Every structure is written in structure tokens, then in C-alpha cells.
Amino acid sequence: MKRLIAIFLSIVMITGIFAGCGVQGQSLTEEEKNTIVIWHDKEEAVSGALLEVLQKLVPDVTVQLEYKSNLTEALKMVGNDPKAAPDMYFFAHDKIGVYAEMGILAPVTDLVDQETLDASYVKMTLDAATYKGELYQLPIYFETLLFMYNRLYMPDEKVPETTEELYSYMEEKTRGGHYGFVEQHSTAYYSAGWIHGFGGYIMNENGKVGLGSQETIEALSYHRKFVELMPGESEYATVNTLFQEGKAHSTIGGPWLVSASRAAGMDLGIAPMPVIDKTQTPISPYMGVQGVQVLKYAAENKTEAVKKVLNALMQPEVGIALAKVSGCAPAIEACYENEEVASDDVVMAMRAMAENTIPMPNRPEMDVMWTVAADMLVNINMSGQDVKESCEAAQKNAEELIKKMQ
């Protein structure tokens, strides 16, 4: 990590020098103190809904939303430079560790009350937003993978409750160009749910690599029999096309697949993840949380305006508005009392799933882990290599690559 941190700190120091030439020693005007710039990478429907509700809730603060197509790289470049950096950014939680190590983020709990957060939010969203014991994100909504099925082929009463029931269904229905179940089996984000169901992990919250663990080996050995009844090609487009064209009866996919499937005329069903028979634990996918992070300069120099915006974002009205346009699940518990939210089967399925999900690791080392895990899965599922040997080789490779980052 030392080398990684050094690179990031160099960037911050450089931007700090430039910042010092024009801003350091000068006090902000009242207008500047009362203007909050938020970078984001969201579609227009989401950003528009967010801006509308913030203008209503904090009319005395000028909130500006700026779209950044490559937000992560842009933020690394500007660091904490008050002339170039935003005051906040609206993004996924999994990059928190990168920016926390750069030293540019302020803990949210410096600005809002921890007890209020604990009492108001879905616990797993706060867990996801925490890095090395500090809460660096105010969660807005979350998403996770769901078990989906086409009722034309799989009626509600035939939906598998366990993985062995799912396997039996696959054996019976996989023939003649049809598949009982498909998923992106050699993508780490999807396979992680099976690994977690056996008590394994790709990387845990403390940065420990788990690819070579007995639990991971056992999970992928078990998973491979399912893979053998799926198409060899498991890319996003292939899996989604098979499902939407009715050639796959069920799948594990994200909420983004719902609208396309229903638009295609599918009678779509959503069910709890099958329970793994041996462990009695459901397939437990990753959770991704979208929320707002505050840059340290803004927290220190625009404190009152930042607090007002954060307090507005903590109102259920925000979560409800964004749930409607994003199709994702609000992070605030009170949002689920709203009739429209409570009647949305996708949102409610994700809320129910939250108890059996694992927050995506937010450590910088995950950039290495995604690639190493993907290569391991291709070796196991598509090249037919030995599971144990592949997992142990991936473990060694990951540890060596992470060591080079230090």
C-alpha cells in the first residue's frame, strides 16, 4: 500500500501547491460558501430527480450537479484542490478506500450524528460505506443481484428454493437450445455469491485475500456442475439475450435487467436466492451502495452548507424520489413506508436480499482482485483446469501483485 499511497499523496501535494497559489489565505465569499458542487456519473433521470428534491429541501443553498463520465480518474487528478475539485461526489461505495488513502475525504460523522444514522439506515449500507472504522459515505440507495425467472416456463410453484432443486430443474430443462438457468458464471461479481454462500470471500474487509481458502475451493468445485449445464459463453450480452428471448428460464441478474425483460413482454418473476443445501446459506451476492462523499476542503470551509445538504439527503423524500427513477432500493428504512416503494416488487426484493448480501470491498487492492479472480474463474469454468490448483495459483498471484503496490 505504501507505493500506492505515495502516488496518491503526490497527486494531492501537487494539486495542493496549485491550490495554495490562488486560494490559500483567502476567505471564501458568502456566495462561495453557500454553493455546493456535486460530481456524479448518473443518468439524467436520477440527477434531475436529485436536483429537484434538493432545491425544494434546501432552497437557501445553491446546489450544482456536474456530470463526469470518468469520475474516478477525474477525482484522482484534482485531489482536494478547491479550484478544481467538487465539494461532494455521488458515486458507488467501492472506491472509498482509494480516496480515503489519498486523504481527501471527510468522515460523514464529522458532519452528521452517528446515532441518527444508525437509527435511520439499512445497516448493510453503513457497513459498505465504512473504511478502516470511518464512515465516508452517506448512502442514498443500493442494488444487488436478484433471482429472476420467466413464468412462461417456470411457474411460481416450480421456483427452486435450494440449489439442488435448481440443479434438478436445470438437468430436466436444459435441452433443445433451452437452458434451465444461466448466469455470468465466470465473472467475479456474479460468482462471488456462490463463494460467500460457502463462507468464502474474494477479499475481506481487512484486505485478506481468500481465493485459495478451503471455502472458496469448495464453493467453486460445487458451482462447476451448474456451469456445465450453461452455455460456455457467459458474457453479459449472451446471458441477457438468452433470458430475454425465452431461451433461458431463469437467471441471476441486476435490477437493470428487469425493465428490458418486461419491455420484451416477459411475465417476470423475482424470488429469493436459492439456499445452498450443504451450508444452509443462500447464494449471497455483493451489494453496491450509491451515495454522497464529502471532500475535506468543503467540510472544513463550507461546513454549514455541507451540513444542510447532508441533512436534506437524509430525508426519506430523497430516497423515495430516487427509488422511483433508479429502480434501486433506498438506504433509509422509513422510505419503505411509502406506498409506491412498498408496492415495487424489485425494490422490495432487494430490501429483503440486503440481509444476505456482502458489501463489495471498498479497498484499493480490489482493482487487482477483480482481474485475478476473473482469470481464475475462466481457468476453472471455461478451460477445465483443476479447481484447487487454480485457486491456489490465483491466491499467490494476488498476494504478489498486492505486495508490489506496497
Side-chain angles (χ1 to χ4, degrees):
M1 283 295 294
K2 291 179 182 176
R3 183 181 300 174
L4 181 65
I5 295 170
I7 293 170
F8 287 156
L9 289 179
S10 296
I11 296 170
V12 176
M13 288 174 65
I14 292 169
T15 54
I17 290 169
F18 288 118
C21 294
V23 177
Q24 191 173 359
Q26 297 181 11
S27 60
L28 297 176
T29 66
E30 288 304 311
E31 182 179 359
E32 289 171 331
K33 288 181 181 179
N34 213 41
T35 299
I36 297 297
V37 176
I38 304 175
W39 282 4
H40 70 94
D41 66 339
K42 306 295 177 281
E43 57 269 28
E44 190 173 339
V46 172
S47 61
L50 177 61
L51 183 59
E52 182 179 349
V53 72
L54 285 176
Q55 288 174 337
K56 176 183 176 182
L57 294 174
V58 279
D60 55 334
V61 176
T62 301
V63 178
Q64 299 175 357
L65 296 184
E66 295 185 7
Y67 177 81
K68 297 289 179 180
S69 59
N70 197 351
L71 190 152
T72 55
E73 293 305 313
L75 200 53
K76 288 177 186 178
M77 290 300 298
V78 300
N80 212 28
D81 178 5
K83 282 192 170 182
D87 301 305
M88 304 177 180
Y89 66 96
F90 181 18
F91 196 65
H93 80 276
D94 59 314
K95 295 297 182 184
I96 288 173
V98 171
Y99 305 118
E101 294 291 352
M102 285 176 65
I104 67 174
L105 297 184
V108 171
T109 46
D110 288 354
L111 301 155
V112 296
D113 180 61
Q114 179 72 61
E115 291 185 4
T116 302
L117 292 169
D118 291 339
S120 304
Y121 283 77
V122 175
K123 181 181 182 300
M124 291 297 285
T125 64
L126 298 178
D127 292 343
T130 300
Y131 178 72
K132 292 186 176 179
E134 294 280 8
L135 184 70
Y136 285 109
Q137 182 196 66
L138 185 69
I140 305 296
Y141 57 79
F142 65 91
E143 62 189 21
T144 189
L145 299 175
L146 300 166
F147 186 87
M148 305 179 194
Y149 58 99
N150 187 337
R151 287 192 175 100
L152 179 63
Y153 301 105
M154 181 185 281
D156 293 344
E157 62 271 16
K158 294 290 186 179
V159 174
E161 295 183 1
T162 70
T163 53
E164 285 303 301
E165 289 179 7
L166 174 61
Y167 186 70
S168 296
Y169 184 90
M170 293 172 72
E171 285 187 306
E172 179 185 351
K173 301 295 184 179
T174 301
R175 57 172 55 87
H178 277 248
Y179 298 90
F181 170 75
V182 297
E183 64 173 345
Q184 290 176 246
H185 54 68
S186 295
T187 302
Y189 181 73
Y190 286 79
S191 294
W194 295 82
I195 294 171
H196 298 151
F198 275 81
Y201 51 87
I202 293 174
M203 171 175 277
N204 70 10
E205 67 274 12
N206 298 317
K208 184 178 179 181
V209 178
L211 300 180
S213 72
Q214 184 57 41
E215 291 85 359
T216 299
I217 293 169
E218 190 173 358
L220 295 180
S221 297
Y222 178 69
H223 182 230
R224 187 149 71 171
K225 75 175 187 178
F226 295 82
V227 174
E228 290 170 352
L229 293 175
M230 299 184 213
E233 174 59 61
S234 68
E235 291 301 313
Y236 177 85
T238 301
V239 170
N240 289 358
T241 298
L242 286 170
F243 185 61
Q244 290 174 24
E245 291 182 353
K247 294 179 181 177
H249 300 184
S250 61
T251 190
I252 289 176
W256 49 86
L257 182 57
V258 173
S259 58
S261 298
R262 287 178 171 164
M266 183 186 299
D267 186 4
L268 181 72
I270 299 172
M273 287 288 180
V275 172
I276 296 169
D277 295 74
K278 182 172 182 179
T279 64
Q280 289 301 297
T281 300
I283 296 171
S284 304
Y286 276 134
M287 168 197 280
V289 180
Q290 298 283 339
V292 169
Q293 288 85 185
V294 180
L295 272 73
K296 190 176 292 185
Y297 180 86
E300 294 172 352
N301 294 275
K302 300 183 177 184
T303 309
E304 292 309 310
V306 168
K307 285 183 176 180
K308 286 180 181 179
V309 171
L310 291 178
N311 284 324
L313 291 170
M314 293 171 65
Q315 302 307 307
E317 188 172 344
V318 175
I320 292 167
L322 295 188
K324 292 177 182 178
V325 294
S326 71
C328 295
I332 298 174
E333 293 280 15
C335 295
Y336 297 93
E337 298 172 8
N338 176 268
E339 186 176 345
E340 283 189 72
V341 173
S343 62
D344 188 315
D345 59 339
V346 178
V347 168
M348 295 309 294
M350 283 189 284
R351 175 63 190 92
M353 276 288 298
E355 306 308 319
N356 292 311
T357 58
I358 305 295
M360 273 193 296
N362 57 22
R363 301 184 64 90
E365 301 96 321
M366 275 303 292
D367 286 347
V368 166
M369 296 307 301
W370 290 122
T371 302
V372 174
D375 290 344
M376 175 190 71
L377 291 166
V378 168
N379 290 339
I380 292 170
N381 294 331
M382 300 180 73
S383 300
Q385 295 183 20
D386 181 79
V387 176
K388 187 173 186 292
E389 291 177 3
S390 297
C391 288
E392 290 175 348
Q395 175 82 19
K396 181 180 179 182
N397 187 23
E399 290 175 345
E400 289 176 350
L401 290 171
I402 289 170
K403 189 175 182 180
K404 291 178 181 178
M405 296 170 65
Q406 297 173 347

